[in-house]
Every structure is written in C-alpha cells, then in structure tokens.
Amino acid sequence: MKNVSSKQLTADLNAVIDDAEALLKATAGDAGGKLAGVRDRLEESVKATRARLVDMEEAVLAQTKAAAEPPTSTCTRIRGRRSASPLPPALSSAC
C-alpha cells in the first residue's frame, strides 16, 4: 500500500467533493424519481464529508502549532503557580 500524506489525502477528498458537487449541479434539472433520491443522498454525504474534512484540517493545524511550541519546563510551571499556592521550600529554592 502506498504511503499517503495527510495533505495528499485532503487534496484527493477535496477533488472528490468538488466533482460530486459538479455532478449535483449538472443534474439539478433532472426530475426522475430515482435520480432525485440519489442526488439527495449524495448532497447530504458531500456536506457531511466536507464538514469532517474541515474539522480534520483544523485538528491537524492545531496539532502542528502545538508541536511547534517549545516545551514548558517544570520551573516555568512552578513559577506560574506560585501566586496560587505556596511551594515547599525545596521547590522554591530549586527554581
């Protein structure tokens, strides 16, 4: 199986969604009973897939930003808590 990046998967899904939306627009005037049902299901699937894709892109972006941030040291976390609660002397002098 080929290793696919999330960028490539996103691009492929966007292409499929765009093609499905073009098909929906092209068949908008067809009033056939079976086609109308298929169009309705396809339209709902496209909307749901686009929403999930947006959520996935936002999650990947958030993870990327979080990974790019420098880690917080223990001393930094302790200093941030000093006003909230007193620290034991051993910890106060270490940071």
Side-chain angles (χ1 to χ4, degrees):
M1 182 172 179
K2 185 177 176 183
N3 189 9
V4 178
S5 71
S6 62
K7 284 184 181 182
Q8 183 61 48
L9 179 60
T10 300
D12 291 347
L13 284 172
N14 274 319
V16 169
I17 291 169
D18 291 344
D19 289 346
E21 288 174 337
L23 180 62
L24 286 169
K25 288 177 186 174
T27 59
D30 294 341
K34 285 184 179 181
L35 186 57
V38 171
R39 287 187 77 257
D40 290 343
R41 288 193 309 275
L42 179 59
E43 190 171 5
E44 289 302 315
S45 294
V46 166
K47 286 179 185 178
T49 302
R50 182 146 333 256
R52 282 192 298 270
L53 187 58
V54 168
D55 290 344
M56 184 185 81
E57 289 172 332
E58 289 172 354
V60 168
L61 182 60
Q63 290 172 351
T64 302
K65 285 181 180 180
E69 292 178 2
T72 305
S73 71
T74 302
C75 288
T76 303
R77 286 188 299 246
I78 289 172
R79 284 189 208 112
R81 288 187 2 186
R82 283 190 180 162
S83 60
S85 64
L87 294 173
L91 289 177
S92 294
S93 62
C95 296

